[in-house]
Amino acid sequence: TFFDKDLVDALFGISATSIFYYLYRNPKMMMAKSWDEFGELVDNSRDKKFLWGFPAYHVVVLLIILYIWLT
């Protein structure tokens, strides 16, 4: 394989953090009974900016990946 297991685990944990925080802020989305209801909840949800993470999210992820990969 091209990627080390620790690197993949770190990427998953880092990327999942913002998604879990978004779902924590919008708990009704986890209770949707259909895709249509889920889409409607997404359209009306708050704090959509957390889906992409904080402003320096991509830079921090890149630095963490490089640190794990190079050490």
Side-chain angles (χ1 to χ4, degrees):
T1 60
F2 294 108
F3 300 108
D4 186 27
K5 183 183 180 304
D6 292 337
L7 180 63
V8 174
D9 291 344
L11 286 173
F12 177 75
I14 293 165
S15 63
T17 304
S18 61
I19 300 297
F20 286 134
Y21 184 71
Y22 175 72
L23 290 175
Y24 171 75
R25 301 279 291 165
N26 300 290
K28 291 183 181 180
M29 292 179 69
M30 295 174 58
M31 302 297 287
K33 293 180 174 57
S34 67
W35 284 108
D36 293 332
E37 183 181 356
F38 183 80
E40 189 175 315
L41 289 170
V42 169
D43 291 339
N44 297 327
S45 67
R46 63 182 185 165
D47 297 329
K48 291 181 190 175
K49 63 184 176 185
F50 291 113
L51 287 174
W52 292 103
F54 59 95
Y57 173 76
H58 302 288
V59 174
V60 171
V61 169
L62 178 64
L63 292 175
I64 291 171
I65 291 168
L66 288 174
Y67 176 77
I68 292 170
W69 192 27
L70 297 175
T71 57

Coordinates of all heavy atoms in Angstrom, one line a residue:
T1 N 0.8 -1.2 0.0 CA 0.0 0.0 0.0 C 0.9 1.2 0.0 O 2.0 1.2 0.4 CB -0.9 0.0 1.2 OG1 -0.1 0.0 2.4 CG2 -1.9 -1.2 1.2
F2 N 0.3 2.3 -0.5 CA 1.0 3.6 -0.5 C 1.0 4.4 0.8 O 1.8 5.2 1.1 CB 0.4 4.5 -1.6 CG 0.7 3.9 -3.0 CD1 -0.4 3.4 -3.7 CD2 1.9 3.9 -3.6 CE1 -0.2 2.8 -5.0 CE2 2.2 3.3 -4.8 CZ 1.1 2.8 -5.5
F3 N -0.1 4.1 1.6 CA -0.3 5.0 2.8 C -0.2 4.1 4.0 O -0.6 3.0 4.1 CB -1.7 5.6 2.8 CG -1.9 6.5 1.6 CD1 -2.7 6.2 0.6 CD2 -1.2 7.7 1.5 CE1 -2.9 7.0 -0.5 CE2 -1.4 8.6 0.5 CZ -2.3 8.2 -0.6
D4 N 0.5 4.7 5.0 CA 0.6 4.0 6.3 C -0.7 4.0 7.0 O -1.5 5.0 6.9 CB 1.7 4.7 7.1 CG 2.0 4.0 8.4 OD1 1.8 2.8 8.4 OD2 2.5 4.7 9.3
K5 N -1.0 3.0 7.8 CA -2.3 3.0 8.6 C -2.4 4.2 9.5 O -3.5 4.7 9.7 CB -2.3 1.7 9.4 CG -3.7 1.5 10.1 CD -3.6 0.2 10.9 CE -4.9 0.0 11.7 NZ -5.3 1.0 12.6
D6 N -1.3 4.6 10.2 CA -1.4 5.7 11.1 C -1.8 7.0 10.3 O -2.6 7.8 10.8 CB -0.1 6.0 11.8 CG 0.3 4.8 12.7 OD1 -0.7 4.2 13.2 OD2 1.5 4.7 13.0
L7 N -1.3 7.2 9.1 CA -1.7 8.3 8.3 C -3.1 8.3 8.0 O -3.8 9.3 8.1 CB -0.8 8.4 7.1 CG -1.0 9.5 6.1 CD1 -0.7 10.8 6.8 CD2 -0.2 9.4 4.9
V8 N -3.7 7.2 7.6 CA -5.1 7.1 7.2 C -5.9 7.3 8.4 O -7.0 8.0 8.4 CB -5.4 5.7 6.6 CG1 -6.9 5.5 6.3 CG2 -4.6 5.6 5.3
D9 N -5.6 6.8 9.6 CA -6.3 7.0 10.8 C -6.3 8.4 11.2 O -7.4 9.0 11.6 CB -5.8 6.1 11.9 CG -6.0 4.6 11.7 OD1 -6.9 4.3 10.9 OD2 -5.3 3.9 12.4
A10 N -5.2 9.1 11.1 CA -5.1 10.5 11.4 C -6.0 11.4 10.5 O -6.7 12.3 10.9 CB -3.7 11.0 11.4
L11 N -5.9 11.1 9.2 CA -6.7 11.8 8.2 C -8.2 11.6 8.5 O -9.0 12.6 8.5 CB -6.5 11.3 6.8 CG -5.1 11.8 6.2 CD1 -4.9 11.1 4.9 CD2 -5.1 13.3 6.0
F12 N -8.6 10.4 8.8 CA -10.1 10.2 9.1 C -10.5 11.0 10.4 O -11.5 11.6 10.4 CB -10.3 8.7 9.3 CG -11.7 8.4 9.7 CD1 -12.8 8.5 8.8 CD2 -12.1 8.1 11.0 CE1 -14.1 8.3 9.1 CE2 -13.4 7.9 11.4 CZ -14.4 8.0 10.4
G13 N -9.6 10.9 11.4 CA -10.0 11.6 12.7 C -10.0 13.1 12.5 O -10.9 13.8 13.0
I14 N -9.1 13.6 11.8 CA -9.0 15.1 11.6 C -10.2 15.6 10.7 O -10.9 16.5 11.0 CB -7.7 15.5 10.9 CG1 -6.5 15.2 11.8 CG2 -7.7 17.0 10.5 CD1 -5.2 15.3 11.2
S15 N -10.5 14.8 9.7 CA -11.6 15.2 8.8 C -13.0 15.0 9.5 O -13.9 15.8 9.2 CB -11.6 14.5 7.5 OG -11.7 13.1 7.7
A16 N -13.1 14.0 10.3 CA -14.4 13.7 11.0 C -14.7 14.7 12.1 O -15.9 14.9 12.4 CB -14.4 12.3 11.5
T17 N -13.7 15.4 12.6 CA -14.0 16.3 13.7 C -15.0 17.4 13.4 O -15.9 17.6 14.1 CB -12.7 16.9 14.2 OG1 -11.8 15.8 14.5 CG2 -12.9 17.8 15.4
S18 N -14.8 18.0 12.2 CA -15.7 19.1 11.9 C -17.1 18.6 11.5 O -18.1 19.3 11.8 CB -15.1 19.9 10.7 OG -14.9 19.1 9.6
I19 N -17.1 17.4 10.9 CA -18.5 16.8 10.6 C -19.2 16.5 11.9 O -20.4 16.8 12.0 CB -18.3 15.6 9.7 CG1 -17.6 15.9 8.4 CG2 -19.6 14.9 9.5 CD1 -18.3 16.9 7.5
F20 N -18.6 15.9 12.8 CA -19.2 15.6 14.1 C -19.7 16.8 14.9 O -20.7 16.8 15.5 CB -18.3 14.7 15.0 CG -18.2 13.3 14.5 CD1 -17.0 12.7 14.4 CD2 -19.3 12.6 14.1 CE1 -16.9 11.4 14.0 CE2 -19.3 11.3 13.6 CZ -18.0 10.7 13.6
Y21 N -18.9 17.9 14.8 CA -19.3 19.1 15.4 C -20.5 19.7 14.7 O -21.4 20.2 15.4 CB -18.1 20.1 15.5 CG -18.4 21.4 16.2 CD1 -18.6 21.4 17.6 CD2 -18.7 22.6 15.6 CE1 -18.9 22.5 18.3 CE2 -19.0 23.7 16.3 CZ -19.1 23.7 17.6 OH -19.5 24.8 18.3
Y22 N -20.5 19.6 13.4 CA -21.7 20.1 12.7 C -22.9 19.3 13.1 O -24.0 19.9 13.3 CB -21.4 20.0 11.2 CG -22.5 20.4 10.3 CD1 -23.0 21.7 10.1 CD2 -23.2 19.4 9.6 CE1 -24.0 22.0 9.3 CE2 -24.3 19.7 8.8 CZ -24.7 21.0 8.6 OH -25.7 21.4 7.8
L23 N -22.8 18.0 13.2 CA -24.0 17.2 13.5 C -24.4 17.5 15.0 O -25.5 17.4 15.3 CB -23.7 15.7 13.3 CG -23.6 15.3 11.9 CD1 -23.2 13.9 11.8 CD2 -24.9 15.5 11.2
Y24 N -23.4 17.8 15.8 CA -23.7 18.1 17.2 C -24.5 19.4 17.3 O -25.4 19.5 18.1 CB -22.4 18.3 18.0 CG -22.6 18.9 19.4 CD1 -23.1 18.1 20.4 CD2 -22.2 20.2 19.7 CE1 -23.2 18.6 21.7 CE2 -22.4 20.7 20.9 CZ -22.9 19.9 21.9 OH -23.0 20.4 23.2
R25 N -24.2 20.4 16.4 CA -24.9 21.6 16.4 C -26.3 21.5 15.7 O -27.2 22.3 15.9 CB -24.1 22.7 15.6 CG -22.8 23.0 16.2 CD -22.8 23.9 17.3 NE -23.2 25.2 16.8 CZ -23.6 26.2 17.6 NH1 -23.6 26.1 18.9 NH2 -23.9 27.4 17.1
N26 N -26.5 20.4 14.9 CA -27.8 20.2 14.2 C -28.2 18.7 14.5 O -28.2 17.9 13.6 CB -27.6 20.4 12.7 CG -27.2 21.8 12.4 OD1 -27.9 22.7 12.6 ND2 -25.9 22.0 12.0
P27 N -28.7 18.4 15.7 CA -29.0 17.0 16.0 C -30.1 16.4 15.3 O -30.2 15.2 15.1 CB -29.3 17.1 17.5 CG -29.7 18.5 17.8 CD -28.9 19.3 16.8
K28 N -31.1 17.2 14.8 CA -32.2 16.7 14.1 C -31.8 16.0 12.8 O -32.5 15.1 12.3 CB -33.2 17.8 13.8 CG -33.9 18.3 15.0 CD -35.0 19.3 14.6 CE -35.6 19.9 15.8 NZ -36.6 20.9 15.5
M29 N -30.6 16.3 12.2 CA -30.2 15.7 11.0 C -29.9 14.2 11.1 O -30.1 13.4 10.2 CB -28.9 16.4 10.5 CG -29.2 17.8 10.0 SD -27.7 18.6 9.5 CE -27.4 17.7 8.0
M30 N -29.5 13.8 12.3 CA -29.3 12.4 12.6 C -30.5 11.6 12.7 O -30.5 10.3 12.7 CB -28.4 12.2 13.8 CG -27.0 12.9 13.5 SD -25.9 12.9 15.0 CE -25.8 11.2 15.4
M31 N -31.7 12.2 12.8 CA -32.9 11.6 13.0 C -33.8 11.6 11.8 O -35.0 11.2 11.8 CB -33.7 12.2 14.2 CG -33.0 12.2 15.5 SD -32.6 10.6 16.1 CE -34.2 10.1 16.6
A32 N -33.3 12.0 10.7 CA -34.1 12.1 9.4 C -34.5 10.7 9.0 O -33.7 9.8 9.0 CB -33.2 12.8 8.3
K33 N -35.7 10.6 8.5 CA -36.3 9.4 8.1 C -36.1 9.1 6.6 O -36.3 8.0 6.1 CB -37.7 9.3 8.5 CG -37.9 9.2 10.0 CD -39.4 9.2 10.3 CE -39.6 9.0 11.8 NZ -39.1 10.0 12.7
S34 N -35.8 10.1 5.8 CA -35.7 10.0 4.4 C -34.6 10.9 3.9 O -34.2 11.9 4.6 CB -37.0 10.2 3.7 OG -37.4 11.5 3.8
W35 N -34.2 10.7 2.6 CA -33.2 11.6 2.1 C -33.8 13.0 1.8 O -33.1 14.0 1.9 CB -32.6 11.0 0.8 CG -31.6 9.9 1.0 CD1 -31.8 8.6 0.8 CD2 -30.3 10.1 1.6 NE1 -30.7 7.9 1.2 CE2 -29.8 8.8 1.7 CE3 -29.6 11.1 2.0 CZ2 -28.5 8.5 2.2 CZ3 -28.3 10.9 2.5 CH2 -27.8 9.6 2.6
D36 N -35.0 13.0 1.5 CA -35.7 14.3 1.2 C -35.7 15.1 2.5 O -35.5 16.3 2.5 CB -37.1 14.1 0.7 CG -37.1 13.5 -0.7 OD1 -36.1 13.7 -1.4 OD2 -38.1 12.8 -1.0
E37 N -36.1 14.5 3.6 CA -36.1 15.2 4.9 C -34.7 15.6 5.3 O -34.5 16.7 5.8 CB -36.7 14.3 6.0 CG -36.8 14.9 7.3 CD -37.3 14.0 8.4 OE1 -37.7 12.9 8.1 OE2 -37.4 14.4 9.6
F38 N -33.7 14.8 5.1 CA -32.3 15.1 5.4 C -31.9 16.3 4.5 O -31.2 17.2 5.1 CB -31.4 13.9 5.1 CG -30.0 14.2 5.4 CD1 -29.5 14.1 6.7 CD2 -29.1 14.5 4.4 CE1 -28.2 14.3 7.0 CE2 -27.7 14.7 4.7 CZ -27.3 14.6 6.0
G39 N -32.2 16.3 3.2 CA -31.9 17.5 2.4 C -32.5 18.8 2.8 O -31.9 19.8 2.8
E40 N -33.7 18.7 3.3 CA -34.4 19.9 3.8 C -33.8 20.4 5.1 O -33.6 21.6 5.3 CB -35.9 19.5 4.1 CG -36.8 20.7 4.4 CD -38.2 20.3 4.5 OE1 -38.7 19.6 3.6 OE2 -38.8 20.7 5.5
L41 N -33.4 19.4 5.9 CA -32.7 19.8 7.2 C -31.3 20.5 6.9 O -30.9 21.4 7.6 CB -32.5 18.6 8.1 CG -33.8 18.1 8.7 CD1 -33.6 16.8 9.4 CD2 -34.4 19.1 9.7
V42 N -30.6 19.9 5.9 CA -29.3 20.5 5.5 C -29.5 22.0 5.0 O -28.8 22.9 5.4 CB -28.6 19.7 4.5 CG1 -27.4 20.4 3.9 CG2 -28.2 18.3 5.0
D43 N -30.6 22.2 4.2 CA -30.8 23.5 3.7 C -31.1 24.5 4.8 O -30.8 25.7 4.7 CB -32.0 23.5 2.7 CG -31.6 22.7 1.4 OD1 -30.4 22.6 1.1 OD2 -32.5 22.3 0.7
N44 N -31.8 24.0 5.8 CA -32.2 24.9 6.9 C -31.3 24.9 8.1 O -31.6 25.5 9.1 CB -33.6 24.6 7.3 CG -34.6 24.8 6.2 OD1 -34.5 25.7 5.4 ND2 -35.6 23.9 6.2
S45 N -30.2 24.2 8.0 CA -29.3 24.0 9.2 C -28.5 25.3 9.4 O -28.3 26.2 8.5 CB -28.3 22.8 8.9 OG -27.4 23.1 7.9
R46 N -27.9 25.3 10.6 CA -27.1 26.5 10.9 C -25.6 26.0 11.0 O -25.3 24.8 11.1 CB -27.5 27.0 12.3 CG -27.3 26.1 13.4 CD -27.8 26.7 14.7 NE -27.5 25.7 15.8 CZ -27.5 26.0 17.0 NH1 -27.8 27.3 17.4 NH2 -27.2 25.2 18.0
D47 N -24.7 27.0 10.9 CA -23.3 26.7 11.0 C -22.7 25.8 9.9 O -22.0 24.9 10.2 CB -22.9 26.2 12.4 CG -23.2 27.1 13.5 OD1 -23.1 28.3 13.3 OD2 -23.5 26.6 14.6
K48 N -23.2 26.0 8.7 CA -22.6 25.2 7.6 C -21.1 25.4 7.3 O -20.5 24.6 6.7 CB -23.4 25.6 6.3 CG -24.8 25.1 6.3 CD -25.5 25.4 5.0 CE -27.0 25.2 5.1 NZ -27.7 25.6 3.9
K49 N -20.6 26.5 7.9 CA -19.2 26.8 7.7 C -18.3 25.7 8.4 O -17.2 25.5 8.0 CB -18.8 28.2 8.3 CG -19.1 28.3 9.8 CD -18.8 29.7 10.3 CE -19.2 29.8 11.7 NZ -19.0 31.1 12.3
F50 N -18.9 25.0 9.4 CA -18.1 24.0 10.1 C -18.0 22.7 9.2 O -17.2 21.8 9.6 CB -18.8 23.6 11.4 CG -18.7 24.7 12.4 CD1 -19.8 25.4 12.8 CD2 -17.4 25.1 12.9 CE1 -19.7 26.4 13.8 CE2 -17.3 26.1 13.8 CZ -18.5 26.7 14.2
L51 N -18.7 22.6 8.1 CA -18.5 21.4 7.2 C -17.1 21.5 6.6 O -16.5 20.5 6.3 CB -19.6 21.4 6.2 CG -20.9 20.9 6.6 CD1 -21.9 21.1 5.5 CD2 -20.9 19.5 7.1
W52 N -16.6 22.7 6.4 CA -15.3 22.9 5.8 C -14.2 23.1 6.8 O -13.0 23.2 6.5 CB -15.3 24.0 4.8 CG -16.1 23.8 3.6 CD1 -17.4 24.3 3.4 CD2 -15.8 22.9 2.5 NE1 -17.9 23.8 2.2 CE2 -16.9 22.9 1.7 CE3 -14.7 22.1 2.2 CZ2 -17.0 22.2 0.5 CZ3 -14.8 21.4 1.0 CH2 -15.9 21.4 0.2
G53 N -14.6 23.1 8.1 CA -13.6 23.4 9.1 C -13.3 24.8 9.3 O -13.9 25.7 8.7
F54 N -12.5 25.1 10.3 CA -12.1 26.5 10.5 C -11.2 27.0 9.4 O -10.7 26.2 8.6 CB -11.5 26.7 11.9 CG -10.2 25.9 12.1 CD1 -9.0 26.4 11.9 CD2 -10.3 24.5 12.5 CE1 -7.8 25.7 12.1 CE2 -9.1 23.8 12.7 CZ -7.9 24.4 12.5
P55 N -11.0 28.3 9.3 CA -10.3 28.9 8.1 C -9.0 28.3 7.8 O -8.6 28.1 6.7 CB -10.2 30.4 8.5 CG -11.3 30.6 9.4 CD -11.5 29.4 10.2
A56 N -8.2 27.9 8.8 CA -6.9 27.4 8.6 C -6.9 25.9 8.6 O -5.8 25.2 8.7 CB -5.9 27.9 9.6
Y57 N -8.0 25.3 8.4 CA -8.2 23.8 8.5 C -7.3 23.1 7.5 O -6.6 22.1 7.9 CB -9.7 23.5 8.3 CG -9.9 22.0 8.2 CD1 -10.0 21.2 9.3 CD2 -10.2 21.4 7.0 CE1 -10.2 19.8 9.2 CE2 -10.5 20.0 6.9 CZ -10.5 19.3 8.0 OH -10.7 18.0 7.9
H58 N -7.3 23.5 6.3 CA -6.6 22.8 5.3 C -5.0 22.9 5.5 O -4.3 21.9 5.2 CB -6.9 23.3 3.9 CG -8.4 23.2 3.6 ND1 -9.0 22.0 3.4 CD2 -9.4 24.1 3.6 CE1 -10.3 22.1 3.2 NE2 -10.6 23.4 3.3
V59 N -4.6 24.0 6.0 CA -3.2 24.2 6.2 C -2.7 23.3 7.4 O -1.7 22.6 7.4 CB -2.8 25.6 6.5 CG1 -1.4 25.8 7.0 CG2 -3.1 26.5 5.3
V60 N -3.6 23.2 8.4 CA -3.3 22.4 9.6 C -3.2 20.9 9.2 O -2.4 20.1 9.6 CB -4.2 22.7 10.8 CG1 -4.1 21.6 11.9 CG2 -4.1 24.1 11.3
V61 N -4.2 20.5 8.4 CA -4.3 19.1 8.0 C -3.0 18.8 7.2 O -2.4 17.7 7.4 CB -5.5 18.8 7.1 CG1 -5.5 17.5 6.5 CG2 -6.8 18.9 8.0
L62 N -2.6 19.6 6.3 CA -1.4 19.4 5.5 C -0.2 19.3 6.4 O 0.6 18.4 6.2 CB -1.2 20.5 4.4 CG 0.0 20.4 3.6 CD1 0.0 19.1 2.7 CD2 0.2 21.6 2.7
L63 N 0.0 20.1 7.3 CA 1.1 20.1 8.2 C 1.1 18.8 9.1 O 2.2 18.2 9.3 CB 1.1 21.3 9.1 CG 1.4 22.6 8.4 CD1 1.3 23.8 9.4 CD2 2.8 22.6 7.8
I64 N 0.0 18.4 9.5 CA -0.1 17.2 10.3 C 0.2 15.9 9.5 O 0.9 15.0 9.9 CB -1.5 17.0 11.0 CG1 -1.7 18.1 12.0 CG2 -1.7 15.6 11.5 CD1 -3.1 18.2 12.6
I65 N -0.3 15.9 8.2 CA 0.0 14.8 7.3 C 1.5 14.8 7.1 O 2.2 13.7 7.1 CB -0.7 14.9 6.0 CG1 -2.2 14.7 6.3 CG2 -0.2 14.0 5.0 CD1 -3.1 15.1 5.1
L66 N 2.1 15.9 6.8 CA 3.6 15.9 6.5 C 4.4 15.5 7.8 O 5.3 14.8 7.7 CB 4.0 17.3 6.1 CG 3.6 17.7 4.7 CD1 3.9 19.2 4.4 CD2 4.1 16.8 3.6
Y67 N 3.9 15.9 8.9 CA 4.6 15.5 10.2 C 4.6 14.0 10.4 O 5.6 13.4 10.7 CB 4.0 16.3 11.4 CG 4.6 15.8 12.7 CD1 5.8 16.3 13.1 CD2 3.9 15.0 13.5 CE1 6.4 15.9 14.3 CE2 4.5 14.6 14.7 CZ 5.7 15.0 15.1 OH 6.3 14.6 16.3
I68 N 3.4 13.4 10.2 CA 3.2 12.0 10.4 C 4.0 11.2 9.3 O 4.7 10.2 9.6 CB 1.7 11.6 10.3 CG1 1.0 12.1 11.6 CG2 1.6 10.1 10.3 CD1 -0.5 12.0 11.5
W69 N 4.0 11.7 8.1 CA 4.6 11.0 7.0 C 6.1 11.1 7.1 O 6.8 10.1 6.8 CB 4.1 11.6 5.7 CG 4.5 10.9 4.5 CD1 4.7 9.5 4.4 CD2 4.6 11.4 3.2 NE1 5.0 9.2 3.1 CE2 4.9 10.3 2.3 CE3 4.5 12.7 2.6 CZ2 5.1 10.5 1.0 CZ3 4.7 12.8 1.3 CH2 5.0 11.7 0.5
L70 N 6.7 12.2 7.5 CA 8.1 12.4 7.5 C 8.8 11.9 8.8 O 10.0 11.9 8.9 CB 8.4 13.9 7.3 CG 8.0 14.4 5.9 CD1 8.2 15.9 5.8 CD2 8.7 13.6 4.8
T71 N 8.0 11.6 9.9 CA 8.6 11.2 11.1 C 8.5 9.7 11.2 O 7.9 9.0 10.6 CB 8.0 11.8 12.3 OG1 6.6 11.5 12.4 CG2 8.3 13.3 12.4

